[in-house]
Amino acid sequence: MTSPARTPYQACADAGTQFDDALKAIDIQADPSTVKVTEREDGMRLHRVVPPQLTPSQTARVTRYLKAARS
């Protein structure tokens, strides 16, 4: 028996959870990411991850971690 295929919504939700976990790993407490679904005029549904809004100090912390990871 095979498992059911993941939907685009589920894939985006998983990506959002991974992002939230990464923020928690560097001690940033923020609202959870959400998934936004929009529908184009041709009927195609688009799914995207909406990350939480971060304060300027949280953004600076993420920037420092990313710069350190690149070097």
Side-chain angles (χ1 to χ4, degrees), residues 28-30 52-62:
I28 293 180
Q29 300 300 320
Q53 288 189 321
L54 302 177
T55 66
S57 63
Q58 290 172 326
T59 302
R61 175 179 269 181
V62 170

Side-chain angles (χ1 to χ4, degrees), residues 4 6-7 9 23 25 28-29 37 44 48 53 61 63:
R6 287 185 347 154
T7 65
Y9 186 93
L23 289 177
I28 293 180
Q29 300 300 320
V37 181
M44 178 179 246
R48 68 182 180 97
Q53 288 189 321
R61 175 179 269 181
T63 302

Side-chain angles (χ1 to χ4, degrees):
M1 181 171 172
T2 62
S3 62
R6 287 185 347 154
T7 65
Y9 186 93
Q10 290 168 326
C12 286
D14 291 345
T17 300
Q18 290 175 352
F19 182 76
D20 296 341
D21 291 344
L23 289 177
K24 287 178 188 171
I26 59 173
D27 295 325
I28 293 180
Q29 300 300 320
D31 293 335
S33 298
T34 58
V35 177
K36 182 171 183 177
V37 181
T38 55
E39 191 166 332
R40 298 189 331 191
E41 289 180 14
D42 61 1
M44 178 179 246
R45 297 178 86 189
L46 303 173
H47 299 77
R48 68 182 180 97
V49 176
V50 181
Q53 288 189 321
L54 302 177
T55 66
S57 63
Q58 290 172 326
T59 302
R61 175 179 269 181
V62 170
T63 302
R64 284 192 305 273
Y65 275 91
L66 290 174
K67 285 182 179 179
R70 282 186 16 190
S71 56

